[in-house]
Amino acid sequence: MNKELPISKHPWDEIDDDSYKALSKEEMELLRKAKPHNFKLINSWWIVLSQVALTLIIASACFVFSKQADKSVYTYSALVGGLIGFLPSALFLVRLEAAKKNVKSGPGGYLAAVVSGEFIKILVTSLLFIGFALKQPDLKWIPLLVTYLATLKCYLLVWFWK
């Protein structure tokens, strides 16, 4: 005997016709005019600028609150962590800007630019971590990683500001 298993029904499996509506171009323009703050774009360079600013703030805090003998090492480590955070982001944006300026490129070309930009970002981040770990063995990893992780959280902060 071949028994069929019952298919579980979840609320998200069933879509009501009232749960969504495709808007026309005119309706979309009216919605944009009614709620312009929901449609404003964020300039991606502001994210990189906020990463640089946060790096400088954390490095300054490391300089102020560390012991006299460790001031330069902690400050330098925080600056390196910030550099590892914002340099790959800046390179990614440069890659996307180059793809936007390429008139011949279509959506597939822009997608390829996003993928290659992410690859560049991962590669540069890895190389910077490895390079600084090998060439600067006296770095303090806690301020470096705290600053690096803080620069990564700038994406979330800018999203909340929107």
Side-chain angles (χ1 to χ4, degrees):
M1 277 191 157
N2 189 4
K3 290 185 178 179
E4 289 186 28
L5 295 174
I7 298 174
S8 65
K9 294 286 185 175
H10 295 288
W12 57 78
D13 289 337
E14 298 177 14
I15 298 176
D16 296 336
D17 288 337
D18 297 332
S19 64
Y20 70 93
K21 178 185 174 193
L23 298 177
S24 68
K25 186 175 182 180
E26 293 80 20
E27 291 172 323
M28 195 66 194
E29 286 301 320
L30 287 174
L31 185 61
R32 281 181 204 237
K33 288 179 184 175
K35 298 181 180 181
H37 61 279
N38 289 346
F39 293 94
K40 71 178 180 182
L41 297 175
I42 297 173
N43 185 350
S44 301
W45 288 105
W46 283 108
I47 297 173
V48 175
L49 185 62
S50 67
Q51 289 175 322
V52 172
L54 188 61
T55 297
L56 294 175
I57 290 169
I58 294 173
S60 299
C62 286
F63 182 78
V64 169
F65 295 114
S66 60
K67 296 177 186 175
Q68 188 64 29
D70 295 332
K71 279 189 186 295
S72 62
V73 175
Y74 279 95
T75 305
Y76 179 71
S77 298
L79 289 172
V80 167
L83 176 76
I84 295 172
F86 70 77
L87 182 64
S89 299
L91 292 174
F92 176 76
L93 286 177
V94 167
R95 176 68 183 110
L96 290 186
E97 293 292 328
K100 283 181 188 176
K101 291 180 182 175
N102 186 0
V103 180
K104 297 177 185 175
S105 179
Y110 192 73
L111 179 62
V114 170
V115 171
S116 65
E118 277 297 327
F119 177 74
I120 291 168
K121 194 173 172 182
I122 292 168
L123 182 68
V124 168
T125 301
S126 302
L127 290 175
L128 285 172
F129 266 118
I130 293 168
F132 278 111
L134 294 176
K135 296 292 183 184
Q136 300 289 327
D138 60 334
L139 285 175
K140 301 295 181 190
W141 283 94
I142 291 179
L144 186 145
L145 291 175
V146 165
T147 311
Y148 173 71
L149 293 174
T151 59
L152 293 183
K153 294 302 170 195
C154 283
Y155 294 105
L156 187 63
L157 290 175
V158 171
W159 183 68
F160 278 126
W161 284 334
K162 181 184 176 195

